[in-house]
Amino acid sequence: MYKHIDQEQLIKKAVPIFWENGYRAVSYKELAEGMGISKSFLYNHWGKEQLLLDSIDSYLSENIDPVFHFIEHSEKGVEAIRDVYHEVANSNFNDDPCTCMLMNIALELKQELKILSPVYNQFLKNMRNSYSAALHNTYKAGGIKDINKIPEFVEMLVGLMFGLNLLLHYKQSSELIVYIDSFFNLIE
Amino acid sequence: MLYMRPKEFSRNNVLEKCLTLFWKAGYNGTGIQEIVDRTNVNRYSLYEEFGNKEGILLASLELYKKRHIDWELLSQPISIEQRLFQFYMSFFNPSKNNNNPIGCYISSMAMELRETHEMQSFFNTYLDFLKDRFKQLLKEKLTLSIDTLKITSQQLTTFYCTSMGMYVIFSHKEAERYIQNNLNLITKCINT
């Protein structure tokens, strides 16, 4: 029945539903209504778990990969990463569910959904690779003294994003910017 | 004089069970009937004791803070860096109650209930408390400037939120390496 409908377009409609509400709290009814398909089709031919995986894929390629690509290829090196973090700290909750969908889902489902772990691992790998490339650019420009320290700095910045994802909901932007900068100042 | 009111249930035992339910299935994923079934306390007695479901939550958060977080680790007679390492790692080794997930119950609830007024106030107070504990610890290094003290205790607090998020996807070994690595960076300035 839905053979001719572009699956990608359907998945794109599911992304904001998971992003805003998480996984457990979302019902088949809500998803089916949001996607404009029948509940029974969704239930019998797709499944909530598979739809979540498809939505995460779509979210990563639409929202996250371009950011990693920007960081990796920017001539600003580590400053490009700082710009992204500042942007996250300044984001406005009224416009967007601005925290990371994947981190939210990871925190919600903990280690229950084993099928998600390859997705996280790939996500973390892409994040580390792009940060590492940026830090190497900074190293070449003389901003980092010891090249062997780069992996440590990468880990620190990856972790900081996880912390921000929570603190964003509790602290003012101006306060977050101070925290962010204090961590970037450790890079030398 | 201490006067113990006779009760049909132990408040802390009930709270421990609720804490495990909320932590595992989420606060919103736990119905009051499940709480009744698990604790064997009827809902009227629960409401009489705690007011409502939010009351249970807040009482369970307080209990966790008092009972499950090993604050003693921060006052051992070893180096500040080692104390901090053991403190952060203690959330990865929940030895006191093996039924509970790893990580921190408070930050887990803070993530789920980020839009609620109660959690806003509880979590912000908790973060301030944590920052004060770190500050006290760092004050042992008498040579630290006020600025370093302020920045470093803040960084340790932020890093706390960070690591509780990371624990979800880390293995034990990865967590150890990660904590060590970050603490080295953060505490470098207190040794110079």
Side-chain angles (χ1 to χ4, degrees):
Chain A
M1 187 180 170
Y2 295 98
K3 247 181 258 168
H4 307 295
I5 298 176
D6 190 353
Q7 226 186 8
E8 256 176 58
Q9 290 308 312
L10 287 177
I11 294 167
K12 273 187 187 158
K13 289 181 184 162
V15 170
I17 306 175
F18 283 126
W19 199 351
E20 270 167 54
N21 307 301
Y23 180 72
R24 284 201 201 93
V26 175
S27 65
Y28 272 99
K29 187 167 173 272
E30 263 173 281
L31 285 167
E33 275 171 13
M35 295 163 76
I37 58 176
S38 81
K39 203 173 118 182
S40 68
F41 175 78
L42 185 64
Y43 192 85
N44 295 316
H45 299 283
W46 212 322
K48 200 171 149 187
E49 210 172 281
Q50 186 56 46
L51 182 62
L52 175 72
L53 285 176
D54 293 338
S55 301
I56 290 174
D57 269 348
S58 161
Y59 165 79
L60 289 176
S61 57
E62 291 281 318
N63 300 68
I64 301 297
D65 292 344
V67 178
F68 290 160
H69 188 267
F70 160 75
I71 289 174
E72 194 172 338
H73 298 281
S74 167
E75 280 167 20
K76 291 168 80 185
V78 68
E79 291 308 310
I81 310 178
R82 195 201 295 254
D83 287 349
V84 169
Y85 282 45
H86 280 192
E87 208 178 296
V88 170
N90 284 321
S91 46
N92 183 353
F93 283 98
N94 300 326
D95 303 339
D96 235 350
C98 61
T99 54
C100 173
M101 172 184 172
L102 191 61
M103 288 182 189
N104 293 349
I105 297 278
L107 287 168
E108 183 192 342
L109 297 176
K110 311 208 172 67
Q111 280 141 337
E112 283 166 47
L113 269 184
K114 289 286 177 218
I115 44 164
L116 284 178
S117 59
V119 184
Y120 304 139
N121 289 338
Q122 189 57 45
F123 165 75
L124 283 172
K125 197 175 150 198
N126 293 347
M127 195 174 191
R128 288 189 177 112
N129 287 346
S130 70
Y131 288 12
S132 180
L135 290 166
H136 275 95
N137 284 340
T138 300
Y139 170 76
K140 278 179 213 144
I144 293 173
K145 279 180 242 146
D146 183 356
I147 195 168
N148 298 318
K149 286 263 177 200
I150 288 180
E152 279 177 40
F153 297 144
V154 168
E155 288 309 302
M156 177 186 79
L157 294 177
V158 168
L160 181 58
M161 190 48 101
F162 274 76
L164 273 185
N165 200 50
L166 172 59
L167 287 170
L168 254 177
H169 300 282
Y170 291 92
K171 299 287 173 194
Q172 303 286 328
S173 306
S174 53
E175 219 176 328
L176 290 173
I177 301 271
V178 175
Y179 301 172
I180 292 169
D181 286 345
S182 80
F183 281 96
F184 277 86
N185 289 343
L186 297 172
I187 298 172
E188 52 178 20
Chain B
M1 202 178 87
L2 261 169
Y3 172 67
M4 301 283 278
R5 187 158 60 101
K7 227 183 287 174
E8 293 131 57
F9 57 89
S10 144
R11 194 175 194 270
N12 283 354
N13 284 352
V14 167
L15 286 175
E16 287 288 357
K17 284 177 184 155
C18 295
L19 186 159
T20 303
L21 282 173
F22 291 156
W23 202 351
K24 279 191 178 163
Y27 175 77
N28 290 319
T30 308
I32 202 80
Q33 190 54 48
E34 273 167 276
I35 298 176
V36 170
D37 292 344
R38 185 66 68 90
T39 59
N40 282 323
V41 178
N42 69 57
R43 69 179 67 200
Y44 306 102
S45 307
L46 284 173
Y47 287 148
E48 195 186 50
E49 180 68 24
F50 302 106
N52 50 26
K53 196 178 160 198
E54 277 158 18
I56 301 178
L57 172 77
L58 287 174
S60 74
L61 288 164
E62 288 294 352
L63 180 85
Y64 178 86
K65 187 177 152 197
K66 273 201 199 99
R67 246 198 198 182
H68 291 256
I69 300 184
D70 198 349
W71 300 105
E72 295 293 310
L73 291 174
L74 290 175
S75 33
Q76 302 173 93
I78 48 175
S79 78
I80 289 182
E81 289 84 348
Q82 280 173 304
R83 273 182 263 171
L84 286 168
F85 177 73
Q86 291 187 10
F87 178 71
Y88 284 100
M89 279 312 290
S90 68
F91 294 88
F92 207 82
N93 305 316
S95 52
K96 289 192 180 131
N97 186 345
N98 294 324
N99 291 324
N100 288 333
I102 50 167
C104 172
Y105 174 61
I106 296 174
S107 49
S108 179
M109 288 298 112
M111 193 64 210
E112 185 190 344
L113 302 171
R114 52 194 184 256
E115 258 115 64
T116 68
H117 200 69
E118 289 80 11
M119 208 58 221
Q120 281 291 331
S121 121
F122 183 89
F123 193 58
N124 273 313
T125 311
Y126 176 68
L127 289 177
D128 286 343
F129 177 79
L130 205 55
K131 195 162 86 183
D132 275 344
R133 292 301 290 247
F134 291 137
K135 221 182 236 172
Q136 272 174 35
L137 183 72
L138 294 167
K139 273 186 181 159
E140 289 178 26
K141 299 246 178 189
L142 298 167
T143 49
L144 289 189
S145 70
I146 293 173
D147 273 353
T148 313
L149 206 64
K150 201 172 133 195
I151 293 167
T152 310
S153 58
Q154 185 54 62
Q155 285 177 331
L156 288 169
T157 311
T158 306
F159 180 56
Y160 176 85
C161 297
T162 292
S163 38
M164 297 315 136
M166 299 297 272
Y167 281 171
V168 175
I169 51 172
F170 273 170
S171 70
H172 191 274
K173 217 174 170 173
E174 283 172 313
E176 259 181 5
R177 196 174 49 95
Y178 175 75
I179 300 290
Q180 194 66 69
N181 168 28
N182 275 274
L183 286 178
N184 285 347
L185 284 171
I186 294 170
T187 58
K188 211 178 80 184
C189 58
I190 68 176
N191 292 316
T192 47

